[in-house]
Amino acid sequence: YDERILPSIANEVLKSVVAQYDAEELLKKREVVSREVKEQLVQRAADFHIVLEDISITHLTFGKEYANAIEKKQVAQQEAERQKFVVAKAEQEKKAMVITAEGEAEAARLISDALKTGPALLELRRLEAARDIASIMSKSPNVVFVPSGAGASNLLLNVHS
């Protein structure tokens, strides 16, 4: 029995079960395939009054061509995912640029409207610029006096040691 019948039915059952799956599924669903082989093998062995307690698929191999094909498929899938990420990133950058441009356009419109109503905004900006310049120059050890043009007062900076 162990030299003729058991190898014969094992071969028959393995071929019939394996034929139901493609190679990728055999790798992914190894437990399901193993359980199905066991059930059918136990059933088939019972026809010959053989009792099987357990079976185990211990070594499952494929040809080099198939292994290479699987590797290429995985690489292609990873590249496709990377390309999706690149496209999504480009779309986000595009949206950010549109939002920035819209904000700048709105700011320009508001400045234009403010300048039409009077010189207050222009005066405010001039004062802010003067304050920023004075702040920067006050930190310089070489500048203590900032002369101004005609009609304006000169600026003496507070020098700390």
Side-chain angles (χ1 to χ4, degrees), residues 112-124:
S112 175
D113 290 348
L115 289 174
K116 288 177 187 173
T117 60
L121 179 64
L122 199 54
E123 184 64 22
L124 175 65

Side-chain angles (χ1 to χ4, degrees), residues 131-160:
R131 183 190 63 208
D132 293 343
I133 291 169
S135 173
I136 292 169
M137 293 182 76
S138 69
K139 293 175 184 151
S140 173
N142 299 330
V143 178
V144 290
F145 181 73
V146 180
S148 61
S153 61
N154 295 327
L155 177 65
L156 179 62
L157 301 175
N158 187 8
V159 180
H160 298 283

Side-chain angles (χ1 to χ4, degrees), residues 14-160:
L14 277 172
K15 285 181 181 178
S16 72
V17 171
V18 168
Q20 298 172 19
Y21 300 94
D22 65 26
E24 190 173 344
E25 289 177 323
L26 287 174
L27 291 173
K28 289 181 180 177
K29 298 179 180 179
R30 187 176 182 147
E31 294 167 5
V32 173
V33 172
S34 182
R35 185 174 57 245
E36 198 171 323
V37 166
K38 178 182 178 182
E39 290 170 358
Q40 288 189 24
L41 197 53
V42 166
Q43 207 173 37
R44 193 76 176 97
D47 294 343
F48 294 94
H49 306 287
I50 299 173
V51 176
L52 295 177
E53 291 180 6
D54 193 22
I55 68 149
S56 178
I57 298 175
T58 57
H59 190 68
L60 185 61
T61 59
F62 297 98
K64 288 183 180 181
E65 297 84 16
Y66 181 73
N68 289 337
I70 288 178
E71 185 177 341
K72 286 179 182 177
K73 180 180 178 183
Q74 288 174 339
V75 168
Q77 287 174 335
Q78 289 171 353
E79 181 63 22
E81 288 297 319
R82 190 180 76 74
Q83 290 299 328
K84 284 181 189 176
F85 172 76
V86 168
V87 167
K89 182 180 173 186
E91 287 176 356
Q92 288 299 320
E93 289 173 355
K94 178 183 166 187
K95 287 179 183 177
M97 289 172 63
V98 167
I99 291 169
T100 300
E102 289 173 349
E104 289 174 356
E106 178 66 15
R109 187 188 63 74
L110 290 173
I111 289 171
S112 175
D113 290 348
L115 289 174
K116 288 177 187 173
T117 60
L121 179 64
L122 199 54
E123 184 64 22
L124 175 65
R125 297 296 170 134
R126 189 180 70 73
L127 290 172
E128 288 173 347
R131 183 190 63 208
D132 293 343
I133 291 169
S135 173
I136 292 169
M137 293 182 76
S138 69
K139 293 175 184 151
S140 173
N142 299 330
V143 178
V144 290
F145 181 73
V146 180
S148 61
S153 61
N154 295 327
L155 177 65
L156 179 62
L157 301 175
N158 187 8
V159 180
H160 298 283

